[in-house]
Amino acid sequence: MEQLKTAIDEVKKACQQEIKKSSTLEALEATRVKFLGRKGKIAELMPLLKKLSQEEKRVFGPALNTLKQHSEAAFLTKKNELQDQAFEQEEEQHKDFDVTSYKPEQPEGSLHLYTQATQQIEDIFISMGYTVADGVEAETEYYNFEALNIPKNHPARDMQDTFFLNVPEMVMRTHTSPVQIKSMQKNKPPLAMICTGRVFRNEATDASHDFQFRQIEGLVIAEDISLAHMITTMKRFLRTFFNKKNLKVRARPGFFPFVEPGLEIDMSCPFCTKGCSTCKHTQWIEMVGSRLVHP
């Protein structure tokens, strides 16, 4: 009995001293394992209870539990103290950190060319009074085809090789035109909007085609709007985008199921005067399909 009392006192004293001396969280954890672990010094005292009488167990059983509880409390107190110290040290190290400082010869990032072009295009149209709309890339067949005057089984659908999804009546949009339909449903005229975004066509990839590319299109609805307004808008946009005041624009008849009449818009090549590889030596570049929305 006296042996167990002495052992409890020694373990209690040693545990308190080592917890107090622990100056790092790692050292404190080692102390915890040494005294409070499954094979620690407090656990080693438990078998000694078996040698005691019932009367002695009633005295030393609670004493061992108290030893364990006090040791755990001391450990947690010291752990919180060390964590606070570590946090204060970290704050001290960073208090004079200058987030505006510049490191010489530091590489700089830049916006992707697609992003730069999209932002420039949007800025030009916004300056002309347009709003920018957005839409989903996984679209219903209704908005991608039927609402655009391309009903089911219509031969015009053969013009667009489409990625059909496993979800019934859903496709990856083949153009951004569904955004026009939704804009007309949500807004009362007058309306002037553009939308930009990715579209998807099941095409073979080559130098001028890809299964994924970006489109921009606009829509204007107001009284007395004509093709003259559209051609003038395209001329102003293209001249501003390419920074060419003398850029020429021409219109050719073109077929699109959801417009009447439809036009193809070409511009004079901004990179040459006599023909080059960009304009395929024709001095003209096909730019956009344009039209009046089919009534």
Side-chain angles (χ1 to χ4, degrees):
M1 182 173 174
E2 192 64 32
Q3 178 187 2
L4 181 57
K5 183 177 182 303
T6 302
I8 291 175
D9 292 339
E10 289 176 351
V11 169
K12 180 180 180 181
K13 183 177 180 181
C15 182
Q16 290 176 344
Q17 289 177 345
E18 294 204 24
I19 287 177
K20 188 175 181 180
K21 287 193 301 182
S22 298
S23 58
T24 65
L25 289 170
E26 291 77 10
L28 182 63
E29 177 61 16
T31 299
R32 185 195 69 79
V33 173
K34 180 179 179 180
F35 288 93
L36 292 164
R38 291 178 60 187
K39 297 181 180 181
K41 292 188 175 296
I42 295 177
E44 290 176 353
L45 297 177
M46 295 299 179
L48 297 178
L49 287 173
K50 297 178 181 179
K51 302 176 181 180
L52 303 179
S53 64
Q54 278 304 116
E55 291 294 327
E56 292 172 331
K57 286 179 180 179
R58 291 193 184 97
V59 175
F60 289 102
L64 281 173
N65 285 331
T66 301
L67 170 63
K68 185 177 181 180
Q69 292 170 1
H70 286 177
S71 298
E72 288 174 344
F75 166 77
L76 289 175
T77 301
K78 186 66 175 182
K79 182 180 179 181
N80 292 335
E81 180 184 325
L82 291 175
Q83 286 178 333
D84 291 342
Q85 289 177 3
F87 178 74
E88 290 173 1
Q89 289 173 359
E90 187 175 353
E91 276 204 325
E92 184 68 22
Q93 291 175 353
H94 292 89
K95 72 175 184 179
D96 297 323
F97 179 72
D98 184 4
V99 296
T100 65
S101 63
Y102 174 75
K103 181 180 178 181
E105 301 179 1
Q106 184 76 5
E108 294 184 359
S110 64
L111 294 176
H112 192 281
L113 290 176
Y114 272 151
T115 305
Q116 294 181 43
T118 300
Q119 290 180 350
Q120 185 179 356
I121 290 168
E122 290 178 349
D123 288 344
I124 294 171
F125 276 98
I126 289 172
S127 72
M128 292 192 285
Y130 286 70
T131 59
V132 179
D134 195 14
V136 296
E137 294 179 347
E139 189 56 88
T140 64
E141 288 188 38
Y142 172 78
Y143 280 108
N144 197 73
F145 293 121
E146 290 152 36
L148 295 161
N149 207 29
I150 312 175
K152 288 184 181 297
N153 302 318
H154 192 286
R157 290 204 187 192
D158 295 337
M159 296 169 57
Q160 308 197 39
D161 295 325
T162 307
F163 288 108
F164 288 87
L165 301 179
N166 291 331
V167 181
E169 304 292 319
M170 294 292 292
V171 299
M172 297 303 293
R173 67 180 180 185
T174 57
H175 42 200
T176 50
S177 300
V179 182
Q180 288 192 27
I181 302 298
K182 294 177 180 179
S183 295
M184 286 190 282
Q185 289 177 334
K186 294 178 182 178
N187 302 285
K188 294 182 179 180
L191 170 65
M193 55 76 68
I194 63 166
C195 57
T196 64
R198 296 188 303 175
V199 298
F200 307 85
R201 305 275 178 89
N202 191 10
E203 295 186 2
T205 300
D206 59 29
S208 58
H209 296 83
D210 198 2
F211 65 88
Q212 171 189 295
F213 56 97
R214 299 187 72 86
Q215 263 191 355
I216 173 172
E217 61 180 275
L219 172 69
V220 175
I221 300 177
E223 293 183 0
D224 301 322
I225 292 294
S226 67
L227 285 174
H229 293 93
M230 183 191 66
I231 294 173
T232 302
T233 299
M234 290 309 305
K235 186 180 295 185
R236 178 175 176 181
F237 162 69
L238 292 170
R239 286 178 175 178
T240 304
F241 185 79
F242 289 99
N243 195 25
K244 296 281 185 179
K245 293 183 178 181
N246 59 347
L247 195 74
K248 297 178 182 178
V249 171
R250 72 181 184 185
R252 298 178 287 108
F255 171 71
F256 304 94
F258 44 96
V259 301
E260 181 61 38
L263 297 177
E264 299 278 6
I265 297 290
D266 303 335
M267 72 173 183
S268 58
C269 183
F271 310 110
C272 73
T273 56
K274 297 182 179 180
C276 64
S277 59
T278 301
C279 63
K280 300 178 181 178
H281 302 283
T282 65
Q283 300 182 40
W284 291 95
I285 300 176
E286 180 182 325
M287 291 303 296
V288 296
S290 58
R291 59 278 188 177
L292 292 182
V293 176
H294 196 291

